[in-house]
Amino acid sequence: MWTDGPLTALYPPPIIYAIPQFNMRLSRINSPWSILLKSALVSEKLAEKFKTELETPYTRFIASEGLDIIAGIYVPSLHGVKVKPWARRGGNAVFINHDASRTTNDCHVMEIPAGQKLNAHRQLFEETILILSGRGSTTVWNDGGAKSSFEWGPGSIFGIPVNANHQHFNGSGNDSARYVSVSNMPPIMNVFEDPEFLFNTSHDFKGRFSGEPDYFADQGEQKGLLMKTNFVADAINLPLIEAKERGAGGGHIRFQLAKCSMNSHISQFPVGTYKKCHRHGPGAHVIILSGEGYSLMWPEGEKPTRYEWKAGSMIVPPNMWYHQHFNTGTTPARYLAFKYEGVAIRNAQGVPKAWISQRIGGDQIDYADESREVRTIFSDSLAKNGLLPAMEAAYEQERPDLPPKP
């Protein structure tokens, strides 16, 4: 079921900025739903015609499990969201949905009580996991009995092979463990409408997992920006690859976890810097791993809204909303994005348009084309922490490769 209960606690009033090219004024908003700006609410007469399509097999399944779904455009702290008992899994959970979760991917936070374990489980969909807190282990096995086990701690990320049996264990007798998961359950549940089929089908996808003992070894083959791996022990300190295309001396690495169709990446940017603004499809769950700062997000033609973040915050930009991330802290800022491939609208060469300048038909705004007000807001925010912008090198580095204006 959808719930409004936790929302007032989760959503402090973000700031809507007055940025000149949008002809807007400074204001604040008090409702989490008003951040959608134009709500597209219609008459009851028109709504009645679509009433039977409001819920889906996926949302009905979550309700039948006795769990809540909360809105996920902005979650200030994944550590603080309230969870409820989930009998099927043997832990406590809450689901977090973005604007297109009913047809793409979803998210949930799971808590494993101290000294406990989740129930053994399998699922005919893909899942990627980030450990938020606690230490423990996971065992994965196939129907032939071949097993692979690994230990995890805060900052570990891994994928669960499709339909593999698996079980998570909390290694502490004193503290609970908590993780955030992103999966492509919604479209699979909507197709089959049968939870027992999704969770109790005996079949090994041997191309995904065959019980290899080193399947979850902390290693991976690197090709360009992509690392093919199934487990990263410490995503917070993982070395990254230079990626100037996204601006500000940033580092970047991309993953294909457990050979799944969903993808993920980590980005980092230095003190006193910010990323280039861009937009893409729905379902990118941006989880802050370290640092502090803010993001601006807005649909085309609307007012940018500011969302403050720190380690443990999550931002999920709605479909084709512009968004831009700013580091105002005293350490580099790093985030992890779990996403569905539908996020990446690509050109004929396979390059995501979110990496390509709008000057040549992409969806990224070059530094040279952003409003001066963006820089003023950033400078003022840094000043509150006694810092200065460190962006001049990034502005200069962009110029040699900057496409001419159309």
Side-chain angles (χ1 to χ4, degrees), residues 152-179:
W152 41 255
S156 296
I157 60 174
F158 53 93
I160 297 298
V162 63
N163 210 42
N165 300 283
H166 59 280
Q167 190 168 23
H168 304 303
F169 301 82
N170 184 350
S172 171
N174 298 315
D175 301 311
S176 62
R178 180 173 282 220
Y179 67 75

PDB file of all heavy atoms in Angstrom, residues 152-179:
ATOM      1  N   TRP A 152      30.369  -9.606   3.929  1.00  0.00           N
ATOM      2  CA  TRP A 152      30.153  -8.226   3.522  1.00  0.00           C
ATOM      3  C   TRP A 152      30.121  -7.295   4.729  1.00  0.00           C
ATOM      4  O   TRP A 152      29.973  -7.719   5.869  1.00  0.00           O
ATOM      5  CB  TRP A 152      28.869  -8.067   2.713  1.00  0.00           C
ATOM      6  CG  TRP A 152      27.658  -8.841   3.185  1.00  0.00           C
ATOM      7  CD1 TRP A 152      27.130  -9.960   2.632  1.00  0.00           C
ATOM      8  CD2 TRP A 152      26.803  -8.531   4.318  1.00  0.00           C
ATOM      9  NE1 TRP A 152      26.010 -10.382   3.333  1.00  0.00           N
ATOM     10  CE2 TRP A 152      25.785  -9.511   4.373  1.00  0.00           C
ATOM     11  CE3 TRP A 152      26.802  -7.525   5.277  1.00  0.00           C
ATOM     12  CZ2 TRP A 152      24.783  -9.518   5.342  1.00  0.00           C
ATOM     13  CZ3 TRP A 152      25.798  -7.524   6.261  1.00  0.00           C
ATOM     14  CH2 TRP A 152      24.811  -8.512   6.282  1.00  0.00           C
ATOM     15  N   GLY A 153      30.310  -5.998   4.429  1.00  0.00           N
ATOM     16  CA  GLY A 153      30.254  -4.957   5.444  1.00  0.00           C
ATOM     17  C   GLY A 153      29.776  -3.666   4.810  1.00  0.00           C
ATOM     18  O   GLY A 153      29.401  -3.637   3.618  1.00  0.00           O
ATOM     19  N   PRO A 154      29.754  -2.569   5.549  1.00  0.00           N
ATOM     20  CA  PRO A 154      29.273  -1.297   5.002  1.00  0.00           C
ATOM     21  C   PRO A 154      30.015  -0.926   3.715  1.00  0.00           C
ATOM     22  O   PRO A 154      31.246  -0.967   3.656  1.00  0.00           O
ATOM     23  CB  PRO A 154      29.576  -0.299   6.123  1.00  0.00           C
ATOM     24  CG  PRO A 154      29.590  -1.120   7.369  1.00  0.00           C
ATOM     25  CD  PRO A 154      30.170  -2.441   6.967  1.00  0.00           C
ATOM     26  N   GLY A 155      29.269  -0.592   2.688  1.00  0.00           N
ATOM     27  CA  GLY A 155      29.865  -0.211   1.413  1.00  0.00           C
ATOM     28  C   GLY A 155      30.051  -1.352   0.444  1.00  0.00           C
ATOM     29  O   GLY A 155      30.441  -1.128  -0.704  1.00  0.00           O
ATOM     30  N   SER A 156      29.759  -2.585   0.844  1.00  0.00           N
ATOM     31  CA  SER A 156      29.843  -3.712  -0.090  1.00  0.00           C
ATOM     32  C   SER A 156      28.671  -3.661  -1.068  1.00  0.00           C
ATOM     33  O   SER A 156      27.550  -3.320  -0.688  1.00  0.00           O
ATOM     34  CB  SER A 156      29.808  -5.047   0.657  1.00  0.00           C
ATOM     35  OG  SER A 156      30.922  -5.213   1.501  1.00  0.00           O
ATOM     36  N   ILE A 157      28.938  -4.011  -2.321  1.00  0.00           N
ATOM     37  CA  ILE A 157      27.873  -4.122  -3.317  1.00  0.00           C
ATOM     38  C   ILE A 157      28.001  -5.473  -4.017  1.00  0.00           C
ATOM     39  O   ILE A 157      29.097  -5.980  -4.219  1.00  0.00           O
ATOM     40  CB  ILE A 157      27.876  -2.969  -4.342  1.00  0.00           C
ATOM     41  CG1 ILE A 157      29.178  -2.920  -5.124  1.00  0.00           C
ATOM     42  CG2 ILE A 157      27.624  -1.637  -3.673  1.00  0.00           C
ATOM     43  CD1 ILE A 157      29.174  -1.885  -6.240  1.00  0.00           C
ATOM     44  N   PHE A 158      26.866  -6.044  -4.384  1.00  0.00           N
ATOM     45  CA  PHE A 158      26.889  -7.326  -5.086  1.00  0.00           C
ATOM     46  C   PHE A 158      25.554  -7.543  -5.781  1.00  0.00           C
ATOM     47  O   PHE A 158      24.558  -6.870  -5.500  1.00  0.00           O
ATOM     48  CB  PHE A 158      27.208  -8.487  -4.135  1.00  0.00           C
ATOM     49  CG  PHE A 158      26.340  -8.586  -2.908  1.00  0.00           C
ATOM     50  CD1 PHE A 158      25.193  -9.370  -2.893  1.00  0.00           C
ATOM     51  CD2 PHE A 158      26.685  -7.906  -1.746  1.00  0.00           C
ATOM     52  CE1 PHE A 158      24.414  -9.483  -1.752  1.00  0.00           C
ATOM     53  CE2 PHE A 158      25.906  -8.004  -0.589  1.00  0.00           C
ATOM     54  CZ  PHE A 158      24.770  -8.794  -0.590  1.00  0.00           C
ATOM     55  N   GLY A 159      25.558  -8.503  -6.697  1.00  0.00           N
ATOM     56  CA  GLY A 159      24.336  -8.869  -7.392  1.00  0.00           C
ATOM     57  C   GLY A 159      23.931 -10.283  -7.031  1.00  0.00           C
ATOM     58  O   GLY A 159      24.780 -11.138  -6.768  1.00  0.00           O
ATOM     59  N   ILE A 160      22.633 -10.528  -7.010  1.00  0.00           N
ATOM     60  CA  ILE A 160      22.104 -11.874  -6.776  1.00  0.00           C
ATOM     61  C   ILE A 160      21.783 -12.496  -8.137  1.00  0.00           C
ATOM     62  O   ILE A 160      20.970 -11.951  -8.894  1.00  0.00           O
ATOM     63  CB  ILE A 160      20.834 -11.831  -5.904  1.00  0.00           C
ATOM     64  CG1 ILE A 160      21.151 -11.261  -4.520  1.00  0.00           C
ATOM     65  CG2 ILE A 160      20.233 -13.222  -5.789  1.00  0.00           C
ATOM     66  CD1 ILE A 160      22.144 -12.064  -3.710  1.00  0.00           C
ATOM     67  N   PRO A 161      22.429 -13.623  -8.498  1.00  0.00           N
ATOM     68  CA  PRO A 161      22.139 -14.249  -9.793  1.00  0.00           C
ATOM     69  C   PRO A 161      20.665 -14.646  -9.905  1.00  0.00           C
ATOM     70  O   PRO A 161      20.064 -15.120  -8.945  1.00  0.00           O
ATOM     71  CB  PRO A 161      23.046 -15.488  -9.794  1.00  0.00           C
ATOM     72  CG  PRO A 161      24.108 -15.207  -8.777  1.00  0.00           C
ATOM     73  CD  PRO A 161      23.448 -14.362  -7.734  1.00  0.00           C
ATOM     74  N   VAL A 162      20.112 -14.436 -11.068  1.00  0.00           N
ATOM     75  CA  VAL A 162      18.690 -14.676 -11.256  1.00  0.00           C
ATOM     76  C   VAL A 162      18.329 -16.124 -10.882  1.00  0.00           C
ATOM     77  O   VAL A 162      18.978 -17.080 -11.306  1.00  0.00           O
ATOM     78  CB  VAL A 162      18.261 -14.339 -12.702  1.00  0.00           C
ATOM     79  CG1 VAL A 162      18.946 -15.233 -13.724  1.00  0.00           C
ATOM     80  CG2 VAL A 162      16.748 -14.400 -12.847  1.00  0.00           C
ATOM     81  N   ASN A 163      17.333 -16.257 -10.035  1.00  0.00           N
ATOM     82  CA  ASN A 163      16.748 -17.507  -9.564  1.00  0.00           C
ATOM     83  C   ASN A 163      17.697 -18.391  -8.757  1.00  0.00           C
ATOM     84  O   ASN A 163      17.382 -19.550  -8.479  1.00  0.00           O
ATOM     85  CB  ASN A 163      16.157 -18.339 -10.718  1.00  0.00           C
ATOM     86  CG  ASN A 163      14.982 -19.176 -10.246  1.00  0.00           C
ATOM     87  OD1 ASN A 163      14.139 -18.718  -9.488  1.00  0.00           O
ATOM     88  ND2 ASN A 163      14.925 -20.432 -10.696  1.00  0.00           N
ATOM     89  N   ALA A 164      18.837 -17.875  -8.352  1.00  0.00           N
ATOM     90  CA  ALA A 164      19.724 -18.654  -7.485  1.00  0.00           C
ATOM     91  C   ALA A 164      19.177 -18.636  -6.055  1.00  0.00           C
ATOM     92  O   ALA A 164      18.676 -17.611  -5.583  1.00  0.00           O
ATOM     93  CB  ALA A 164      21.136 -18.080  -7.513  1.00  0.00           C
ATOM     94  N   ASN A 165      19.274 -19.752  -5.374  1.00  0.00           N
ATOM     95  CA  ASN A 165      18.922 -19.781  -3.956  1.00  0.00           C
ATOM     96  C   ASN A 165      19.952 -18.945  -3.190  1.00  0.00           C
ATOM     97  O   ASN A 165      21.152 -18.996  -3.481  1.00  0.00           O
ATOM     98  CB  ASN A 165      18.972 -21.225  -3.435  1.00  0.00           C
ATOM     99  CG  ASN A 165      18.030 -22.148  -4.156  1.00  0.00           C
ATOM    100  OD1 ASN A 165      16.829 -22.137  -3.914  1.00  0.00           O
ATOM    101  ND2 ASN A 165      18.558 -22.955  -5.065  1.00  0.00           N
ATOM    102  N   HIS A 166      19.497 -18.197  -2.206  1.00  0.00           N
ATOM    103  CA  HIS A 166      20.439 -17.387  -1.436  1.00  0.00           C
ATOM    104  C   HIS A 166      19.869 -17.085  -0.055  1.00  0.00           C
ATOM    105  O   HIS A 166      18.651 -17.150   0.160  1.00  0.00           O
ATOM    106  CB  HIS A 166      20.783 -16.091  -2.166  1.00  0.00           C
ATOM    107  CG  HIS A 166      19.610 -15.208  -2.465  1.00  0.00           C
ATOM    108  ND1 HIS A 166      18.755 -15.425  -3.536  1.00  0.00           N
ATOM    109  CD2 HIS A 166      19.130 -14.099  -1.832  1.00  0.00           C
ATOM    110  CE1 HIS A 166      17.824 -14.498  -3.555  1.00  0.00           C
ATOM    111  NE2 HIS A 166      18.014 -13.671  -2.524  1.00  0.00           N
ATOM    112  N   GLN A 167      20.776 -16.757   0.863  1.00  0.00           N
ATOM    113  CA  GLN A 167      20.380 -16.454   2.231  1.00  0.00           C
ATOM    114  C   GLN A 167      21.386 -15.476   2.830  1.00  0.00           C
ATOM    115  O   GLN A 167      22.599 -15.652   2.685  1.00  0.00           O
ATOM    116  CB  GLN A 167      20.314 -17.731   3.071  1.00  0.00           C
ATOM    117  CG  GLN A 167      19.678 -17.550   4.438  1.00  0.00           C
ATOM    118  CD  GLN A 167      19.375 -18.885   5.116  1.00  0.00           C
ATOM    119  OE1 GLN A 167      19.987 -19.910   4.805  1.00  0.00           O
ATOM    120  NE2 GLN A 167      18.426 -18.886   6.042  1.00  0.00           N
ATOM    121  N   HIS A 168      20.868 -14.426   3.490  1.00  0.00           N
ATOM    122  CA  HIS A 168      21.704 -13.397   4.112  1.00  0.00           C
ATOM    123  C   HIS A 168      21.733 -13.602   5.630  1.00  0.00           C
ATOM    124  O   HIS A 168      20.684 -13.840   6.253  1.00  0.00           O
ATOM    125  CB  HIS A 168      21.155 -12.001   3.812  1.00  0.00           C
ATOM    126  CG  HIS A 168      21.004 -11.700   2.353  1.00  0.00           C
ATOM    127  ND1 HIS A 168      22.045 -11.767   1.466  1.00  0.00           N
ATOM    128  CD2 HIS A 168      19.915 -11.325   1.623  1.00  0.00           C
ATOM    129  CE1 HIS A 168      21.619 -11.438   0.243  1.00  0.00           C
ATOM    130  NE2 HIS A 168      20.324 -11.174   0.316  1.00  0.00           N
ATOM    131  N   PHE A 169      22.931 -13.454   6.217  1.00  0.00           N
ATOM    132  CA  PHE A 169      23.126 -13.655   7.647  1.00  0.00           C
ATOM    133  C   PHE A 169      23.707 -12.394   8.282  1.00  0.00           C
ATOM    134  O   PHE A 169      24.680 -11.825   7.761  1.00  0.00           O
ATOM    135  CB  PHE A 169      24.106 -14.809   7.895  1.00  0.00           C
ATOM    136  CG  PHE A 169      23.671 -16.129   7.327  1.00  0.00           C
ATOM    137  CD1 PHE A 169      23.886 -16.430   5.984  1.00  0.00           C
ATOM    138  CD2 PHE A 169      23.058 -17.080   8.131  1.00  0.00           C
ATOM    139  CE1 PHE A 169      23.502 -17.658   5.454  1.00  0.00           C
ATOM    140  CE2 PHE A 169      22.666 -18.311   7.608  1.00  0.00           C
ATOM    141  CZ  PHE A 169      22.885 -18.607   6.268  1.00  0.00           C
ATOM    142  N   ASN A 170      23.144 -11.958   9.388  1.00  0.00           N
ATOM    143  CA  ASN A 170      23.713 -10.861  10.162  1.00  0.00           C
ATOM    144  C   ASN A 170      24.787 -11.435  11.079  1.00  0.00           C
ATOM    145  O   ASN A 170      24.495 -12.291  11.919  1.00  0.00           O
ATOM    146  CB  ASN A 170      22.627 -10.159  10.979  1.00  0.00           C
ATOM    147  CG  ASN A 170      23.146  -8.952  11.736  1.00  0.00           C
ATOM    148  OD1 ASN A 170      24.356  -8.711  11.813  1.00  0.00           O
ATOM    149  ND2 ASN A 170      22.238  -8.161  12.301  1.00  0.00           N
ATOM    150  N   GLY A 171      26.019 -10.948  10.937  1.00  0.00           N
ATOM    151  CA  GLY A 171      27.125 -11.480  11.713  1.00  0.00           C
ATOM    152  C   GLY A 171      27.252 -10.919  13.107  1.00  0.00           C
ATOM    153  O   GLY A 171      28.133 -11.342  13.871  1.00  0.00           O
ATOM    154  N   SER A 172      26.416  -9.946  13.465  1.00  0.00           N
ATOM    155  CA  SER A 172      26.500  -9.325  14.783  1.00  0.00           C
ATOM    156  C   SER A 172      25.354  -9.778  15.673  1.00  0.00           C
ATOM    157  O   SER A 172      24.196  -9.820  15.244  1.00  0.00           O
ATOM    158  CB  SER A 172      26.474  -7.794  14.665  1.00  0.00           C
ATOM    159  OG  SER A 172      26.351  -7.190  15.950  1.00  0.00           O
ATOM    160  N   GLY A 173      25.680 -10.068  16.917  1.00  0.00           N
ATOM    161  CA  GLY A 173      24.642 -10.400  17.880  1.00  0.00           C
ATOM    162  C   GLY A 173      24.096  -9.199  18.602  1.00  0.00           C
ATOM    163  O   GLY A 173      23.153  -9.323  19.404  1.00  0.00           O
ATOM    164  N   ASN A 174      24.666  -8.007  18.317  1.00  0.00           N
ATOM    165  CA  ASN A 174      24.256  -6.791  19.028  1.00  0.00           C
ATOM    166  C   ASN A 174      23.551  -5.765  18.147  1.00  0.00           C
ATOM    167  O   ASN A 174      22.688  -5.033  18.627  1.00  0.00           O
ATOM    168  CB  ASN A 174      25.483  -6.126  19.660  1.00  0.00           C
ATOM    169  CG  ASN A 174      26.160  -7.019  20.684  1.00  0.00           C
ATOM    170  OD1 ASN A 174      25.506  -7.639  21.512  1.00  0.00           O
ATOM    171  ND2 ASN A 174      27.483  -7.093  20.618  1.00  0.00           N
ATOM    172  N   ASP A 175      23.929  -5.711  16.878  1.00  0.00           N
ATOM    173  CA  ASP A 175      23.412  -4.654  16.000  1.00  0.00           C
ATOM    174  C   ASP A 175      22.701  -5.245  14.791  1.00  0.00           C
ATOM    175  O   ASP A 175      23.098  -6.294  14.262  1.00  0.00           O
ATOM    176  CB  ASP A 175      24.556  -3.754  15.521  1.00  0.00           C
ATOM    177  CG  ASP A 175      25.291  -3.100  16.673  1.00  0.00           C
ATOM    178  OD1 ASP A 175      24.620  -2.533  17.556  1.00  0.00           O
ATOM    179  OD2 ASP A 175      26.541  -3.158  16.688  1.00  0.00           O
ATOM    180  N   SER A 176      21.673  -4.544  14.341  1.00  0.00           N
ATOM    181  CA  SER A 176      20.998  -4.954  13.117  1.00  0.00           C
ATOM    182  C   SER A 176      21.865  -4.613  11.912  1.00  0.00           C
ATOM    183  O   SER A 176      22.781  -3.789  11.995  1.00  0.00           O
ATOM    184  CB  SER A 176      19.643  -4.252  13.003  1.00  0.00           C
ATOM    185  OG  SER A 176      19.819  -2.844  12.923  1.00  0.00           O
ATOM    186  N   ALA A 177      21.598  -5.256  10.799  1.00  0.00           N
ATOM    187  CA  ALA A 177      22.245  -4.945   9.521  1.00  0.00           C
ATOM    188  C   ALA A 177      21.174  -4.425   8.576  1.00  0.00           C
ATOM    189  O   ALA A 177      20.018  -4.855   8.635  1.00  0.00           O
ATOM    190  CB  ALA A 177      22.920  -6.183   8.945  1.00  0.00           C
ATOM    191  N   ARG A 178      21.554  -3.511   7.701  1.00  0.00           N
ATOM    192  CA  ARG A 178      20.579  -2.903   6.796  1.00  0.00           C
ATOM    193  C   ARG A 178      21.191  -2.775   5.407  1.00  0.00           C
ATOM    194  O   ARG A 178      22.338  -2.372   5.251  1.00  0.00           O
ATOM    195  CB  ARG A 178      20.135  -1.534   7.327  1.00  0.00           C
ATOM    196  CG  ARG A 178      19.106  -0.810   6.450  1.00  0.00           C
ATOM    197  CD  ARG A 178      18.593   0.459   7.107  1.00  0.00           C
ATOM    198  NE  ARG A 178      17.599   0.179   8.152  1.00  0.00           N
ATOM    199  CZ  ARG A 178      16.497   0.925   8.339  1.00  0.00           C
ATOM    200  NH1 ARG A 178      16.246   1.972   7.573  1.00  0.00           N
ATOM    201  NH2 ARG A 178      15.654   0.620   9.311  1.00  0.00           N
ATOM    202  N   TYR A 179      20.398  -3.125   4.393  1.00  0.00           N
ATOM    203  CA  TYR A 179      20.859  -2.931   3.021  1.00  0.00           C
ATOM    204  C   TYR A 179      19.753  -2.304   2.180  1.00  0.00           C
ATOM    205  O   TYR A 179      18.572  -2.345   2.539  1.00  0.00           O
ATOM    206  CB  TYR A 179      21.366  -4.231   2.396  1.00  0.00           C
ATOM    207  CG  TYR A 179      20.352  -5.332   2.140  1.00  0.00           C
ATOM    208  CD1 TYR A 179      19.443  -5.268   1.081  1.00  0.00           C
ATOM    209  CD2 TYR A 179      20.338  -6.489   2.936  1.00  0.00           C
ATOM    210  CE1 TYR A 179      18.554  -6.293   0.821  1.00  0.00           C
ATOM    211  CE2 TYR A 179      19.448  -7.525   2.687  1.00  0.00           C
ATOM    212  CZ  TYR A 179      18.557  -7.423   1.622  1.00  0.00           C
ATOM    213  OH  TYR A 179      17.669  -8.441   1.367  1.00  0.00           O
TER     214      TYR A 179
END
